[in-house]
Amino acid sequence: MFYLTEQFFSIQGEGKYAGVPSYFLRTGGCNLNCPGFAAEYVVDGEVRFGCDTYFAVDGHFASSWQKVNNADGLTLHLKHEFDTLGYRPDVVITGGEPLMYAKDDTFYAVVEWLVAYGVQVTFETNGTIEIDFDAYPAYKSCIFALSLKLKNSGEPKVKRIVPQALLNVQSHAKEAFLKFTIDANLVETTALDEINEIREILPALEVYCMPVGESRDTIWRNDKAVFEFCMKHNYRYSDRLHIRVFDTTQGV
């Protein structure tokens, strides 16, 4: 059994496959909170801060999440959606942290079906969950967008960097790349050192950097600094197209 907070058809807004039509499955729950990203929201009069998908992370919203305990029901729905589209789009499984459910029978059955059906599957993951690729071989056919968190996330390093989990992905996944969310302040301080430290673990992976922001306004405050940072250090710049277009991170 696992939880979905939303599912929708859109266009991938960030990372290596930005611009590609994609069907999104967003799971509920995360092992990180990332208060440093400072997306502000209110719960029962209390102001809280978290990542830009706080609605899929904070347990306060769990009552609105959909419990999935039957893989066949979800896969039949996805087949209907793809048949209606007339083609099989990429599927992006995001969160929250989707790989919290990596060993769940229902979750894995959905992944197995997608892979067997010829769908390109990408996991948007914080890279902290160790995957046993031999016990769960369908993951070998998937792409891993490793959205590792840096100091600006507000999470301690011991929680956000798990070397063995990263090495497992590098060794076994079909494809992987690194994706960092950076603000203007981090560009001027520790971003380069932090990224270089991670690249010592994963030297072969491409690096994408994108601006912090849960809205157009916050992206505009950071995009130029991140753009110039990528030019200076030979990283790939990733915009956040869905936020540019819709000014939100939910349902798009």
Side-chain angles (χ1 to χ4, degrees):
M1 181 274 294
F2 67 99
Y3 288 98
L4 282 178
T5 68
E6 56 180 353
Q7 56 179 303
F8 55 91
F9 177 60
S10 185
I11 283 181
Q12 172 63 278
E14 58 193 42
K16 183 173 184 177
Y17 292 96
V20 176
S22 302
Y23 195 94
F24 287 78
L25 299 173
R26 186 183 301 282
T27 62
C30 189
N31 58 336
L32 301 178
N33 181 49
C34 301
F37 289 151
E40 182 178 326
Y41 61 103
V42 179
V43 173
D44 297 331
E46 174 194 355
V47 176
R48 297 182 183 179
F49 297 93
C51 72
D52 54 18
T53 56
Y54 60 84
F55 54 89
V57 173
D58 193 322
H60 171 79
F61 301 96
S63 61
S64 66
W65 300 348
Q66 174 193 355
K67 183 184 292 186
V68 181
N69 51 25
N70 182 345
D72 290 343
L74 180 56
T75 57
L76 283 172
H77 173 74
L78 291 172
K79 185 178 185 305
H80 173 75
E81 293 286 283
F82 301 162
D83 288 346
T84 300
L85 287 172
Y87 64 94
R88 299 172 190 177
D90 287 9
V91 167
V92 179
I93 306 179
T94 184
E97 174 48 55
L99 293 177
M100 288 176 61
Y101 302 106
K103 296 180 180 180
D104 179 82
D105 290 343
T106 304
F107 182 84
Y108 185 66
V110 172
V111 175
E112 279 189 307
W113 179 85
L114 288 167
V115 169
Y117 201 55
V119 173
Q120 176 165 287
V121 177
T122 296
F123 287 105
E124 295 276 356
T125 172
N126 61 32
T128 64
I129 308 294
E130 292 190 38
I131 304 298
D132 186 338
F133 285 85
D134 292 325
Y136 300 92
Y139 295 127
K140 295 180 181 180
S141 299
C142 299
I143 298 168
F144 286 70
L146 295 169
S147 300
L148 273 62
K149 309 311 175 193
L150 301 178
K151 185 178 180 180
N152 64 336
S153 68
E155 293 284 2
K157 183 178 176 182
V158 69
K159 284 185 65 177
R160 54 186 170 82
I161 306 298
V162 182
Q164 191 57 55
L166 301 175
L167 291 170
N168 287 356
V169 170
Q170 179 175 251
S171 298
H172 298 291
K174 173 185 176 181
E175 181 183 337
F177 58 90
L178 292 164
K179 181 157 63 76
F180 300 103
T181 305
I182 301 176
D183 55 51
N185 178 64
L186 198 71
V187 164
E188 299 297 329
T189 54
T190 64
L192 181 61
D193 290 340
E194 290 189 74
I195 292 173
N196 282 340
E197 186 176 355
I198 292 166
R199 295 192 78 192
E200 289 180 5
I201 304 171
L202 303 171
L205 300 191
E206 295 177 338
V207 172
Y208 291 78
C209 298
M210 61 187 189
V212 166
E214 80 288 352
S215 65
R216 292 178 188 139
D217 181 61
T218 49
I219 286 180
W220 284 332
R221 291 183 221 155
N222 296 294
D223 56 4
K224 184 178 179 182
V226 177
F227 194 96
E228 292 174 347
F229 178 77
C230 289
M231 292 174 63
K232 183 176 182 179
H233 300 293
N234 193 27
Y235 298 146
R236 288 155 176 76
Y237 177 82
S238 170
D239 208 58
R240 309 186 77 182
L241 301 177
H242 51 305
I243 300 177
R244 296 282 192 190
V245 174
F246 296 103
D247 199 24
T248 182
T249 61
Q250 191 165 6
V252 295

